[in-house]
């Protein structure tokens, strides 16, 4: 668009606003402002020319207001308004009036009024955007990420970031009211033995050595407890170089909290109060008081996952003992056999069952057995392998009724629980069993301290290696590590883990025993964690904490389907930024200064 359309004289004035001052946002005016003289500023969302009158929906971060250019009220302003197009930036002066009877818009906060323009100023023109700036946009995500600054103009996304800002402010107010200190911890730190997914940063002044970007401030916040800070928090960026999904990003934000002289109940009560306050202040929603609690073993037994969604039913049921002697070999020989009864599911088509069979294969299942319960028969390829006694026992254990379908999974316990657990979630979504308006929080407690990694052929920490074993379980690290329980707790919301924490090993012997159970010898422990072990020798207080994923929490609060919708400038699932084209190639001179040399297959650098 020709630059001469701008009202400023050429060359452009240093202050394009001049004496124009905005009096209201585009979401403030109501019928109570009838007759008021106002000045609004924003972007043109829609322009409609009705012959004599020109209507413009003016948009800013707060919302929309309809403004009217009338040839009768302001002929000169109306004449100039013919050049206005979508996404032009305007300042308008005018008088508020109620809309004519029958013309109000109940879907707009400002829907009962309009502003009749007396004068206006063109602050900037705009090229035609590559996609419509509206919530019903049909452009692909790749295009929207490339032009993220335009996508963020969409009202729904803008509201997500207003909510995110309010959430962060609510958290700070709550924690400050409880005498927490906000303290920053380093971004450049040391890679650890558990740091295979660290982002590494080469050092120019210490060539051949590397910093790591923190996956968590875990060790530093524990050191702050040793330092006597007692109550710490931080809303902090963390980094993890891993494969991405809808709820993962290479850089993410944590609400990180640590407390001295506390036990599990005190940390959980504090965190629970924070979440309740957050929902009350930001969404005007009341959450249960207290949140329900469930041991890890019960969550796995009934739901297959350690983050169960309690907004709907469908529990898993162990039937291993019933089918142990049946003629179906895969059932009879399996470590674990579980069933999932779906009331009224007998009407599922074979195509739908086949889709669910493919779905569970994602989680390591070889297939999916099923039985439809009909009036006088069990319809299924596997029904013939069960005796009448076994059928009766299954019907009683599972509570089967005519019209049901029951799905079975058999094999290793981890696979069976994971596959059926996620099948339960998939069925809840497909069958419309989930009330999306409900928020259902849950504490999951009594986690295993360790879990066996079959690839590494050793035990690894279920949460992290600084979690304390429960009372009486320290000796189990040597005699029966699989049954040692942790002083750990996760907060789950609608089937998503939003926070996780634990009481830490605050004595040298406990921390050393944990390292030994993980196969970390004294020499390696001293090399990688010497600063922590040294600190534990100087009177570390009992302490514990919790960290919340702010991105995931706001995603759930806003109803977004991906955390990319609540992160201003997110990365793709390949960890790239389509807008800036990061990560990028760097100059060979920079690499030489850093003492870094690329392998032949990776050589792609800018010229000096």
């Amino acid at each position: 668009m020709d630059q001469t359309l701008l009202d400023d004289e050429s060359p452009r004035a240093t202050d394009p606003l001049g004496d124009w001052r905005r009096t209201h946002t585009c979401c403030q005016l109501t019928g109570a402002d009838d007759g008021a003289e106002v000045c609004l500023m924003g972007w043109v969302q829609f322009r409609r020319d009705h012959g004599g009158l020109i209507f413009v929906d003016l948009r800013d971060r707060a919302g929309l207001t309809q403004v009217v250019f009338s040839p009768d009220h302001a002929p000169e302003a109306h004449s100039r308004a013919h050049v206005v197009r979508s996404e032009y930036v305007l300042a308008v002066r005018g008088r508020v009036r109620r809309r004519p009877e029958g013309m109000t818009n109940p879907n707009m906060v400002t829907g009962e009024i309009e502003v009749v323009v007396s004068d206006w100023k063109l602050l900037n023109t705009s090229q035609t955007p590559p996609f419509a700036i509206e919530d019903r946009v049909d452009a692909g995500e790749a295009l929207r990420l490339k032009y993220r600054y335009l996508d963020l103009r969409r009202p729904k996304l803008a509201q997500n970031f207003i909510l995110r800002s309010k959430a962060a402010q609510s958290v700070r107010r709550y924690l400050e009211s409880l005498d927490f200190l906000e303290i920053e911890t380093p971004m450049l730190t040391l890679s650890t033995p558990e740091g295979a997914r660290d982002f590494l940063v080469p050092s120019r002044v210490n060539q051949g050595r590397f910093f790591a970007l923190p996956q968590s401030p875990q060790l530093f916040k524990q050191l702050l407890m040793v330092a006597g800070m007692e109550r710490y928090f931080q809303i902090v960026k963390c980094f993890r170089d891993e494969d991405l999904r809808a709820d993962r990003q290479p850089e993410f934000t944590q609400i990180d909290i640590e407390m001295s002289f506390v036990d599990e109940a005190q940390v959980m009560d504090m965190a629970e109060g924070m979440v309740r306050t957050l929902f009350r202040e930001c969404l005007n929603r009341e959450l249960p008081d207290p949140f329900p609690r469930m041991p890890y073993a019960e969550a796995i037994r009934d739901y297959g996952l350690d983050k169960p969604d309690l907004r709907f039913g469908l529990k898993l049921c162990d039937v291993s003992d019933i089918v142990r002697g049946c003629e179906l070999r895969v059932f009879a020989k399996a470590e674990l056999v579980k069933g999932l009864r779906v009331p009224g599911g007998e009407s599922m088509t074979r195509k739908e069952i086949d889709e669910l069979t493919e779905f569970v294969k994602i989680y390591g299942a070889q297939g999916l057995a099923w039985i439809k319960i009909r009036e006088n028969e069990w319809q299924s390829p596997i029904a013939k392998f069960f005796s009448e006694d076994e059928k009766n026992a299954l019907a009683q254990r599972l509570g089967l009724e005519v019209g049901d379908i029951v799905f079975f999974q058999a094999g290793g316990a981890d696979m069976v629980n994971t596959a059926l657990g996620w099948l339960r979630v998939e069925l809840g979504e497909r069958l419309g069993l989930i009330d999306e308006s409900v928020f259902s929080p849950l504490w999951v407690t009594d986690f295993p301290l360790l879990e066996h990694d079959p690839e590494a052929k050793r035990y690894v920490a279920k949460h992290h290696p600084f979690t304390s074993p429960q009372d009486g379980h320290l000796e189990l690290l040597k005699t029966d590590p699989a049954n040692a329980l942790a002083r750990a707790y996760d907060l789950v919301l609608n089937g998503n883990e939003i926070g996780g924490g634990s009481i830490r090993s605050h004595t040298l012997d406990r921390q050393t025993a944990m390292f030994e159970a993980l196969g970390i010898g004294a020499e390696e422990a001293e090399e990688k964690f010497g600063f922590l072990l040294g600190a534990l020798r100087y009177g570390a207080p009992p302490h514990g904490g919790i960290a919340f994923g702010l991105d995931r929490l706001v995603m759930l609060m806003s109803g977004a389907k991906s955390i990319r919708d609540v992160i201003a400038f997110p990365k793709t699932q390949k960890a790239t930024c389509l807008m800036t084209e990061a990560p990028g190639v760097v100059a060979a001179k920079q690499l030489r200064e850093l003492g870094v040399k690329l392998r032949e297959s990776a050589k792609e650098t800018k010229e000096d």
Side-chain angles (χ1 to χ4, degrees), residues 247-369:
D247 62 346
R248 296 290 173 94
Q249 282 280 294
E251 53 181 315
F252 53 97
T253 304
Q254 280 188 186
I255 305 168
D256 203 52
I257 302 170
E258 197 79 4
M259 306 166 69
S260 292
F261 309 114
V262 291
D263 59 18
E264 295 93 323
Q266 290 170 296
V267 178
M268 293 164 73
D269 287 346
M270 175 280 303
E272 198 171 300
M274 186 191 80
V275 174
R276 271 197 300 274
T277 300
L278 184 61
F279 274 72
R280 182 184 304 120
E281 292 184 352
C282 297
L283 297 182
N284 196 28
R285 295 288 298 272
E286 292 295 332
L287 296 183
D289 185 5
F291 293 172
R293 302 185 181 192
M294 179 183 295
Y296 170 87
E298 181 181 334
I300 297 299
R301 182 195 70 196
D302 291 345
Y303 302 99
L305 306 173
D306 61 6
K307 47 184 179 182
D309 190 338
L310 301 187
R311 291 175 295 172
F312 66 104
L314 302 186
K315 287 187 178 182
L316 313 187
C317 185
D318 187 347
V319 296
S320 304
D321 57 321
I322 296 175
V323 301
R324 189 69 65 204
C326 77
E327 296 180 11
L328 186 59
R329 184 175 177 82
V330 68
F331 277 26
K333 299 296 184 181
E335 175 188 356
L336 179 66
V337 183
K338 279 189 171 182
L340 174 60
R341 171 193 171 229
V342 182
E346 185 269 337
S347 60
M348 282 189 185
T349 65
R350 187 55 188 263
K351 179 177 180 294
E352 290 172 320
I353 294 173
D354 288 345
E355 289 174 351
L356 295 175
T357 301
E358 292 303 310
F359 174 80
V360 297
K361 289 180 181 179
I362 298 171
Y363 304 99
Q366 297 300 308
L368 183 65

Side-chain angles (χ1 to χ4, degrees), residues 176-196:
E176 287 170 357
S177 76
L178 296 180
D179 205 28
F180 280 82
L181 301 178
E182 185 171 8
I183 304 175
E184 294 179 342
T185 54
M187 285 289 105
L188 297 176
T189 184
L190 184 69
S191 187
T192 69
E194 307 295 322

Side-chain angles (χ1 to χ4, degrees), residues 497-517:
E497 179 200 332
I498 59 170
S502 67
I503 300 300
R504 323 303 185 186
S505 293
H506 77 286
T507 64
L508 187 61
D509 61 337
R510 282 178 170 259
Q511 188 58 70
T512 300
M514 184 65 169
F515 284 159
E516 290 175 352

Side-chain angles (χ1 to χ4, degrees), residues 310-520:
L310 301 187
R311 291 175 295 172
F312 66 104
L314 302 186
K315 287 187 178 182
L316 313 187
C317 185
D318 187 347
V319 296
S320 304
D321 57 321
I322 296 175
V323 301
R324 189 69 65 204
C326 77
E327 296 180 11
L328 186 59
R329 184 175 177 82
V330 68
F331 277 26
K333 299 296 184 181
E335 175 188 356
L336 179 66
V337 183
K338 279 189 171 182
L340 174 60
R341 171 193 171 229
V342 182
E346 185 269 337
S347 60
M348 282 189 185
T349 65
R350 187 55 188 263
K351 179 177 180 294
E352 290 172 320
I353 294 173
D354 288 345
E355 289 174 351
L356 295 175
T357 301
E358 292 303 310
F359 174 80
V360 297
K361 289 180 181 179
I362 298 171
Y363 304 99
Q366 297 300 308
L368 183 65
W370 54 273
I371 297 174
K372 290 185 175 183
I373 311 303
R374 294 188 164 166
E375 188 67 45
N376 295 310
E377 67 168 338
W378 284 17
Q379 183 193 1
S380 169
I382 68 169
K384 62 186 178 183
F385 294 106
F386 300 112
S387 67
E388 287 304 313
D389 287 344
E390 289 165 345
K391 287 182 178 180
N392 290 334
L394 286 171
Q396 184 174 358
R397 177 78 58 85
L398 292 162
L400 299 179
E401 297 180 2
V402 173
D404 294 346
I405 189 171
V406 58
F407 294 103
F408 294 96
Q409 196 57 250
D414 287 346
M415 182 279 292
V416 168
N417 284 315
T418 301
L420 279 188
W422 284 113
L423 177 63
R424 172 184 176 268
V425 174
E426 180 72 9
L427 287 168
E429 294 174 350
R430 287 193 180 206
L431 301 177
L433 303 178
I434 302 175
D435 185 346
E436 297 290 350
S437 67
V438 170
F439 291 106
S440 180
L442 171 72
W443 283 109
V444 178
T445 62
D446 299 317
F447 281 85
L449 187 64
L450 309 173
E451 59 183 352
H452 193 262
D453 184 337
E455 293 186 9
K457 296 181 180 180
R458 66 179 181 89
Y459 283 99
V460 296
K462 181 71 173 177
H463 279 75
H464 56 62
F466 315 107
T467 297
S468 174
Q470 291 188 4
D471 290 345
H473 287 233
L474 182 61
E475 286 303 313
L476 291 179
L477 289 177
K478 295 181 179 179
T479 61
D480 190 9
N483 286 313
L485 296 183
R487 298 183 68 182
Y489 34 84
D490 282 0
L491 185 55
V492 175
L493 183 66
N494 295 357
N496 294 267
E497 179 200 332
I498 59 170
S502 67
I503 300 300
R504 323 303 185 186
S505 293
H506 77 286
T507 64
L508 187 61
D509 61 337
R510 282 178 170 259
Q511 188 58 70
T512 300
M514 184 65 169
F515 284 159
E516 290 175 352
L518 295 171
I520 300 175

Side-chain angles (χ1 to χ4, degrees), residues 45-58:
Q45 178 78 22
F46 301 112
R47 174 187 177 277
R48 303 178 299 281
D49 192 334
H50 289 188
L53 300 176
I54 296 175
F55 294 89
V56 166
D57 288 341
L58 196 66

